[in-house]
Amino acid sequence: MMATPHTIRAIHSKERMKSEPTVLLWTVILLLATAAVYWPGLGGGFIFDDRPTIVDNARVHAEHLDGESLLSAARSFDPGGTLGARPLSMASFAANHALHGLHPRGYKLGGLLVHLLNALLVFAVVRSVLRQLAWPRAELASGAIALVWAIHPLQVSSVLYVVQRMETLSFTFILAALIYYIKGRQRQMSGRRAWPWLMACLPLTALGMTAKESAALFPAFTFMLEITVLGFSASNPTTTRNWRWLYATGIIVAIAVFTFWTVPSYWKDEIFGRNFNTYERLLTQLRILPMYLGQILLPLPSNMTFYYDNFPVSHGWLAPPATMLGGILIAALGVVAIACRRSAPLASLGLLWFFSAHALTSNVVALELVFEHRNYFALLGIILVVADLFGRLKLPEGPALKYAAVGAIILGFAGLTAIRSATWGDPFLLATDLASINPGSSRASADLAAIYLEMTDGHPNSPFNDLAIREFERGSLIPGSSIISDQGLILTAAQAGRPIEDRWWHRLNDKLRHGTLSAETTQGMFGLLGNRMKGIELDDDHLTNAFLILFDRAIFPPQSYAQFGDYVLTVAGNEALADQAFASAIEHSSRSPDYARQIINTLRRKGHHRQAEIALDKAHEMGMLDDMTIDPSPTSPSSP
């Protein structure tokens, strides 16, 4: 006899009542265990992208939790000042600043709180999936899976690396949306009203997008759920058919957009700021994805270096040979995932979620090659695969040995994560650890040298100056290194009253001429210029020549030329070069005529009338600022 909807609801109600104590117990375990392993890391400092995004970003330094401050911070990630670039994450950093200033502990605690919430959401998502698959002891299995995900050592650089709250916060909403999606689809299968649950996925995904673009992967995650666990099922055959048509249409549109817009827009034979082209990037991902799998399955500290700026690029299928081997492995896993989607739906879902989670970052967009935080959600997929394999093991000793093995894994991961968190909790310990496990990373070297420099407390005779200079020079000699270490070397010597050797400038200039120009290059050069403007004694001929080499190789925003013009005019005393610099600033302000006007007005206010009129002539030549005349007019005290 077929069960009625009333009977089905009664069964579900009894199951919920039985599982409630287990769910409550796992909630407590997840919160306490996860907080315990990451707590030692809360004493650490800001690192890498934390500095430009938070520490040096004045617009995110809110003093009060008011709407105007949060709105300004929400716009501060995008140079264009729009609300299209991670406004929720930036506003959350502003809230941290209003509460804690620039003390990193408060920011790291905020990241940990987001991760704790996500651990509970992962528990709910996995529990829903396992119950849909009629998995035995679903609460126990989903709790263990969520715990392994939450305390995995690879997650340290997502939770304690402050700026990656963007990633973790984005997945807060995606995980919530997955819960609503599965709930809605289960209601459709039992013939109940489902649209409020399914419609809730839209605002949740939109909120996730305001944290980071990773939320755009939500449809891919749900499609993988459909082809493995849910099967497009519904009590109404028309609903099933509609789901199939909806996803088929979405796939066709996605393929068309990728083929005719994404690839033509992002495919480059040469990429500014990168030492690889698009083809090489895709080839290199064939080695990176297997590396991620290794880090997930064997998360030893030596396998997780955080900095991967020295990761070798693949230049061909056999250059190195691991590229082709990685491609074969990925293809084989893809075939297995599709082939076993009926016989082993959980393992299939796990593999497909792993690949889907990397669909943006392992594609044609010219992002950096490797980052550990890209596995924040992908990690869950591989844990599901392992859980499926564990569940299929038939041991003569019964389940006791399985439980012991899972317990040992959890304890081992907890210990490794606690150790790694403690390392992250001490800036000097972290810097020395990263430099020792990856001596070929110029970023790790620069971090360690910067720590030595901080330890001088500004004393020119401190022995830590010698350590900083030695480490900066070691980093500057690493093949393929950026100019960050060269900049640090020059500034450290200058601030300590030590002689600045010409060979340091020659090495910096050689990198500017022949090396890869990146964001670090610009940061290093304008760091030198800013310190010179503050009165640090640097050789103006060397500094000017370095900027001329830089400007000869690439086009920069107008403010870069204006800053250089201000320097050569007021410090280096080269008026002719200042004329050229301000003219270049106007030339590159065609899309920002208001900034061009600001440059001219500021030059007039400061009494630099010759440069102001040269800049105005250039603007008129370009058809801008026709309302401005040769005669100076009152201006506001702004600066270019």
Side-chain angles (χ1 to χ4, degrees), residues 19-86:
S19 67
E20 281 178 1
T22 306
V23 171
L24 180 60
L25 176 62
W26 272 112
T27 298
V28 173
I29 292 172
L30 281 169
L31 293 177
L32 292 180
T34 305
V37 297
Y38 291 104
W39 200 263
L42 298 184
F46 293 112
I47 186 172
F48 196 45
D49 280 342
D50 290 343
R51 297 186 183 102
T53 306
I54 300 171
V55 178
D56 300 330
N57 185 357
R59 288 202 294 167
V60 86
H61 297 169
E63 298 298 330
H64 306 285
L65 288 175
D66 59 90
E68 183 179 352
S69 298
L70 295 179
L71 184 61
S72 175
R75 292 173 169 153
S76 65
F77 183 75
D78 182 6
T82 69
L83 280 174
R86 310 176 186 181

Side-chain angles (χ1 to χ4, degrees), residues 524-597:
M525 287 302 299
F526 282 93
L528 286 171
L529 187 146
N531 277 277
R532 181 69 182 107
M533 295 289 285
K534 293 176 183 177
I536 299 294
E537 288 295 329
L538 299 176
D539 187 295
D540 289 315
D541 289 338
H542 278 308
L543 183 57
T544 299
N545 185 51
F547 267 98
L548 293 179
I549 295 171
L550 181 67
F551 289 148
D552 188 54
R553 283 196 62 191
I555 296 173
F556 289 86
Q559 56 266 33
S560 298
Y561 299 99
Q563 289 175 41
F564 178 66
D566 191 28
Y567 157 68
V568 292
L569 181 62
T570 61
V571 177
N574 190 332
E575 288 205 30
L577 191 54
D579 297 345
Q580 298 175 30
F582 286 115
S584 295
I586 299 298
E587 183 179 354
H588 293 92
S589 297
S590 57
R591 296 184 180 181
S592 306
D594 287 342
Y595 186 72
R597 185 188 306 274

Side-chain angles (χ1 to χ4, degrees), residues 600 604 612-620 625 628-630:
I600 295 167
R604 286 174 169 175
E613 302 318 318
I614 288 174
L616 183 56
D617 287 342
K618 187 65 178 181
H620 288 166
L625 309 183
M628 292 191 76
T629 63
I630 298 298

Side-chain angles (χ1 to χ4, degrees), residues 61-177:
H61 297 169
E63 298 298 330
H64 306 285
L65 288 175
D66 59 90
E68 183 179 352
S69 298
L70 295 179
L71 184 61
S72 175
R75 292 173 169 153
S76 65
F77 183 75
D78 182 6
T82 69
L83 280 174
R86 310 176 186 181
L88 183 61
S89 297
M90 300 308 294
S92 76
F93 296 141
N96 269 124
H97 190 275
L99 295 171
H100 311 288
L102 281 176
H103 195 291
R105 186 180 186 87
Y107 294 81
K108 291 179 182 290
L109 179 59
L112 176 56
L113 292 175
V114 171
H115 186 60
L116 289 172
L117 175 58
N118 288 351
L120 299 180
L121 294 173
V122 165
F123 175 46
V125 169
V126 176
R127 180 167 169 263
S128 297
V129 169
L130 295 187
R131 293 184 68 174
Q132 180 64 31
L133 293 172
W135 193 275
R137 303 194 178 188
E139 279 75 22
L140 177 62
S142 55
I145 289 170
L147 182 58
V148 171
W149 176 85
I151 65 170
H152 194 283
L154 193 58
Q155 301 286 44
V156 169
S157 59
S158 296
V159 178
L160 297 178
Y161 180 19
V162 174
V163 78
Q164 288 316 320
R165 188 187 304 172
M166 296 176 179
E167 183 82 358
T168 60
L169 188 59
S170 174
F171 276 101
T172 299
F173 297 101
I174 292 311
L175 290 166

